[in-house]
């Protein structure tokens, strides 16, 4: 019943040594760069740098591979659909009303890299960072304590809610509900029999939890101390400096008009 | 003989997929007869609920087999067993979803395609049985815990199962509500239903059940009449259980009580008989 929702897999590499704050900033940097450019000539190096960083960081590749399989559909859709929708530059072929252009094909490839980057990088973060460290990093990066508390609490209650959901499914099956039978409308109705009790139970848990934390003096002190001490090492400084340089370079190039299909 | 067996488990082994190393059921074989009133006892984690969930195919044995009324249910869907084996969850809030008590009760028979007139008749009968006739159109979550428990039981009874399994029927109920619930179980049992309760309340076991199956570490360590099980110290010790107070007093004072005394009522009866005897001699 109790499943693990924590992706974290213990290991040893520079990625595990880096301060979680550095890793969060690196993820944000990849996001920004992926959004800045649309030209695959610029996005491909970003993607391969990411892959290199993960391989050197010995990120458990089986987990990433499973993910890539489910992402493959999205990538294929992106490669097929963008050329049909996006028209730019030389026409390569015509299918009925659709004209496939060089720009469209490039855009599809670029978008595929963008999707891959923006999914793989955060997954790598969660694979190499224990959840509490991630929450601590967000807190130290300036997210308000109450927000981080809400985040860590919801992560903590995910398995609980899933367990309750399983109990509800069983209870309804014991009364003759077969949630996987019938057409879409019947299934939708079946799921309402499961979601109803689940939502009500979740609200009850939240209510009780808010009373319980209140009873233990939640939010009474403004000045909080932390059990988990995060320290920047020499490697963190190096990585952050590298990110800063690359970010400035990327921004300058974008402002000068490079890396965009126009 | 076979015709009388309602539920049978044959050498059932089970571990949950999330923890394959811990064996929850280690070869459980038991036969529960029709119209028996059985209490399943044991510590948390002893395998009571896991065993009970095998009886309506919510769980499937990894080794061994389970029979309901002589039929192997290895391939049956839980939903199709709903009219034979009723399973009532410990927490009524895990199954209540409808906007009215009546609609909640109607849910099971509707799933099974019972004719509308029959559904209405059953619902009225069950509302009377559990004493919720005045609440038929109330919102279930506005009721108290005891009443919600009754709604849950009534909604399970609505499929008219011959066999009823109730997980902790008295948990969270006050003494009066608990006894009302158990009287309902007794009534159903006397009407010919097989009733299995899972409970931690030994005085409830002593008072209502006619057979006790005691589990520890995924095995049955004692099986028999309540008085025989409550005398089995080795089994109770393994299961981490203590007999009800009345039984402990009777066992401590064999000069005053017969060893079969396990309820307060029996103890009182015996004491009064003795004082009558003494007055007569």
């Amino acid at each position: 019943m109790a499943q693990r929702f924590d992706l974290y897999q213990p290991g040893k590499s520079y990625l595990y040594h880096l301060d979680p704050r550095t890793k969060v900033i690196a993820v944000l940097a990849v996001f920004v760069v992926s959004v800045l450019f649309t030209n695959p000539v610029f996005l491909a190096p970003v993607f391969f740098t990411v892959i290199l960083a993960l391989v050197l960081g010995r990120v458990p590749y089986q987990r990433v591979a499973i993910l890539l399989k489910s992402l493959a559909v999205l990538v294929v859709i992106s490669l097929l659909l963008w050329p049909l929708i996006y028209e730019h530059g030389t026409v390569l072929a015509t299918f009925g009303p659709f004209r496939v252009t060089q720009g469209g094909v490039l855009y599809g490839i670029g978008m595929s890299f963008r999707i891959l980057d923006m999914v793989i990088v955060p997954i790598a973060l969660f694979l190499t960072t224990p959840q509490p460290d991630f929450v601590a990093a967000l807190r130290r990066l300036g997210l308000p304590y109450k927000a981080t508390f809400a985040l860590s609490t919801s992560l903590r209650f995910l398995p609980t809610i899933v367990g309750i959901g399983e109990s509800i499914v069983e209870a309804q099956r014991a009364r003759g509900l077969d949630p996987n039978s019938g057409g879409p409308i019947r299934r939708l109705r079946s799921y309402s029999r499961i979601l109803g009790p689940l939502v009500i139970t979740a609200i009850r848990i939240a209510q009780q939890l808010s009373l319980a934390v209140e009873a233990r003096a939640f939010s009474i002190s403004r000045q909080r101390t932390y059990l988990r001490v995060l320290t920047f090492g020499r490697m963190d400084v190096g990585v952050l400096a590298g990110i800063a340089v690359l970010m400035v370079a990327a921004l300058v190039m974008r402002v000068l008009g490079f890396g965009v299909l126009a | 003989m076979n015709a009388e067996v309602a539920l049978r488990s044959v050498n059932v082994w089970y571990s949950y997929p999330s923890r394959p190393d811990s064996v929850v059921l280690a070869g459980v074989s038991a036969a529960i007869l029709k119209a028996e009133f059985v209490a399943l006892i044991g510590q948390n984690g002893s395998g009571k609920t896991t065993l009970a969930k095998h009886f309506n195919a919510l769980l499937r044995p990894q080794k061994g087999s389970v029979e309901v009324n002589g039929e192997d249910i290895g391939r049956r869907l839980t939903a199709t067993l709903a009219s034979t084996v009723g399973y009532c969850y410990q927490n009524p809030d895990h199954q209540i979803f409808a906007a009215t008590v009546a609609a909640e009760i109607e849910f099971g028979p509707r799933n099974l395609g019972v004719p509308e007139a029959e559904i209405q008749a059953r619902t009225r009968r069950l509302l009377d049985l559990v004493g919720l006739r005045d609440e038929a159109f109330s919102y279930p979550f506005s009721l108290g815990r005891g009443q919600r428990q009754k709604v849950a039981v009534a909604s399970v009874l609505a499929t008219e199962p011959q066999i009823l399994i109730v997980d902790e029927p008295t948990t969270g109920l006050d003494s009066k509500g608990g006894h009302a619930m158990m009287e309902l179980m007794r009534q159903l049992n006397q009407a010919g239903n097989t009733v299995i309760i899972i409970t931690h309340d030994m005085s409830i076991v002593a008072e209502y059940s006619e057979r006790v199956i005691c589990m520890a570490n995924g095995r049955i360590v004692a099986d028999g009449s309540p008085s025989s099980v409550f005398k089995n110290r080795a089994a109770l010790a393994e299961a981490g259980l203590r007999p009800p107070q009345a039984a402990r007093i009777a066992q401590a004072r064999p000069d005053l009580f017969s060893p079969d005394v396990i309820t307060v009522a029996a103890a009182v009866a015996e004491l009064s008989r003795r004082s009558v005897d003494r007055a007569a001699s």
Side-chain angles (χ1 to χ4, degrees):
Chain A
M1 199 163 98
Q3 281 146 315
R4 282 188 58 216
F5 285 84
D6 197 347
L7 284 174
Y8 178 64
Q9 293 214 323
K12 272 196 173 127
S13 79
Y14 79 94
L15 278 180
Y16 290 91
H17 283 296
L18 281 178
D19 187 290
R21 281 172 292 184
T22 309
K23 289 190 265 185
V24 170
I25 290 168
V27 169
L28 292 177
V30 171
F31 275 26
V32 170
V33 173
S34 303
V35 175
L36 277 183
F37 301 112
T38 50
N39 193 333
V41 175
F42 280 71
L43 285 170
V46 175
F47 175 72
F48 291 112
T49 312
V50 162
I51 295 296
L52 185 69
L54 299 196
V55 171
L56 289 178
R58 276 186 261 158
V59 172
Y61 63 91
Q62 299 100 322
R63 302 291 294 265
V64 182
I66 295 172
L67 203 89
L68 282 181
K69 259 186 218 163
S70 44
L71 266 185
V73 183
L74 262 178
V75 170
V76 169
I77 291 176
S78 161
L79 286 175
L80 292 179
L81 229 50
W82 279 115
L84 297 181
I85 302 167
Y86 190 87
E87 279 183 29
H88 186 80
T90 330
V91 177
L92 300 174
T94 314
F95 299 104
F98 299 108
R99 281 188 303 174
V100 176
T101 59
Q102 192 185 6
V105 172
L106 286 176
Y107 198 80
I109 298 170
M111 288 304 105
S112 302
F113 281 128
R114 187 184 275 184
I115 294 170
L116 290 170
D117 285 342
M118 291 179 88
V119 177
I120 291 176
V121 170
I123 293 294
L125 170 73
F126 290 120
L127 279 167
T128 58
T129 314
Q131 254 172 30
D133 284 7
F134 170 66
V135 174
L138 291 184
R139 173 72 193 107
R140 294 309 181 76
L141 286 171
L143 207 65
Y145 172 69
K146 283 187 181 175
T148 50
F149 181 83
L151 177 68
S152 57
T153 313
S154 47
L155 289 173
R156 136 85 187 82
F157 272 98
L158 215 55
T160 311
I161 298 290
V162 170
I164 292 169
E166 284 170 0
S167 299
I168 293 169
V169 171
E170 286 184 354
Q172 306 301 41
R173 277 167 62 201
R175 288 200 291 162
L177 180 79
D178 185 0
N180 295 320
S181 80
I185 291 175
R186 184 141 169 228
R187 281 190 196 202
L188 217 60
R189 284 176 64 93
S190 296
Y191 281 107
S192 74
R193 309 325 194 210
I194 291 158
L195 277 177
L198 188 61
V199 168
I200 286 170
T201 310
I203 291 172
R204 280 185 182 217
I205 290 177
Q207 255 173 358
Q208 283 167 6
L209 188 72
S210 69
L211 293 179
V213 295
E214 211 73 47
R216 289 191 280 161
F218 179 72
S219 79
I220 199 157
S221 82
R222 305 254 164 263
Q223 203 63 46
R224 298 192 61 88
T225 57
Y226 296 93
L227 178 65
R228 221 167 272 272
V229 182
L230 302 179
T231 43
F232 277 127
R234 224 179 272 167
M235 196 159 54
D236 291 295
V237 176
V239 170
L240 287 174
I243 289 173
V245 170
L246 287 173
M247 285 301 288
V248 170
L251 280 170
V252 168
M253 283 202 280
R254 177 68 175 81
V255 169
L256 294 178
F258 290 104
V260 195
L261 296 164
Chain B
M1 178 69 200
N2 224 357
E4 292 173 357
V5 175
L7 299 171
R8 189 198 293 278
S9 72
V10 184
N11 193 26
V12 167
W13 289 75
Y14 191 82
S15 333
Y16 284 95
S18 54
R19 296 183 61 193
D21 301 333
S22 86
V23 177
V24 183
L25 295 181
V28 175
S29 294
I32 290 165
L33 303 180
K34 278 188 182 160
E36 261 191 320
F37 197 128
V38 179
L40 209 48
I41 62 173
Q43 273 178 318
N44 291 336
S46 60
K48 311 181 295 288
T49 299
T50 305
L51 176 63
K53 283 183 182 175
H54 277 81
F55 287 134
N56 69 342
L58 278 174
L59 297 176
R60 312 235 177 233
Q62 279 145 359
K63 244 193 308 185
S65 63
V66 179
E67 290 167 21
V68 172
N69 293 330
E71 180 203 351
D72 190 322
I73 58 165
R75 292 178 163 276
R76 288 282 293 272
L77 280 176
T78 300
T80 66
L81 279 167
S83 55
T84 317
V85 185
Y87 192 107
C88 193
Y89 265 73
Q90 188 181 335
N91 187 343
D93 299 345
H94 285 179
Q95 61 171 67
I96 293 175
F97 66 88
T100 68
V101 170
E104 185 67 35
I105 295 174
E106 289 160 9
F107 176 65
R110 226 165 241 140
N111 280 330
L112 297 172
V114 174
E116 190 57 36
E118 169 66 16
I119 292 178
Q120 295 306 325
R122 277 190 200 179
T123 305
R124 274 195 301 277
R125 206 161 58 231
L126 285 167
L127 284 169
D128 283 340
L129 183 69
V130 298
L132 287 176
R133 189 206 283 230
D134 296 337
E135 307 288 352
F137 298 105
S138 303
Y139 183 56
F141 282 99
S142 67
L143 303 176
R145 166 77 200 238
Q147 287 179 313
R148 289 206 305 281
Q149 186 96 8
K150 285 178 175 173
V151 172
V153 170
S155 73
V156 169
L157 289 174
T159 59
E160 301 203 326
Q162 302 137 266
I163 303 158
L164 184 65
I165 303 170
V166 191
D167 200 344
E168 306 211 8
T170 59
T171 304
L173 299 187
D174 56 25
S175 171
K176 193 176 156 212
H179 282 285
M181 183 54 69
M182 291 314 298
E183 282 303 331
L184 175 62
M185 296 295 131
R186 177 179 276 169
Q187 217 178 317
L188 291 164
N189 178 241
Q190 281 165 356
N193 292 292
T194 309
V195 175
I196 299 164
I197 58 166
I198 299 171
T199 183
H200 292 290
D201 186 335
M202 293 304 133
S203 59
I204 291 277
V205 173
E207 212 169 315
Y208 292 94
S209 68
E210 50 186 36
R211 177 176 167 194
V212 176
I213 296 177
C214 177
M215 295 189 67
N217 305 316
R219 290 176 303 110
I220 294 176
V221 291
D223 182 352
S225 70
S227 60
S228 76
V229 171
F230 287 140
K231 271 184 280 189
N232 187 341
R233 292 186 180 208
L236 290 179
E238 196 181 346
L241 297 172
R242 292 209 299 177
Q245 277 187 332
R248 295 214 300 277
I249 293 171
Q251 283 165 13
R253 292 297 302 270
D255 53 320
L256 286 176
F257 301 99
S258 99
D260 287 334
V261 166
I262 53 172
T263 65
V264 173
V268 170
E270 201 143 307
L271 280 181
S272 4
R273 197 169 63 239
R274 269 171 200 272
S275 52
V276 171
D277 287 350
R278 213 177 307 140
S281 63

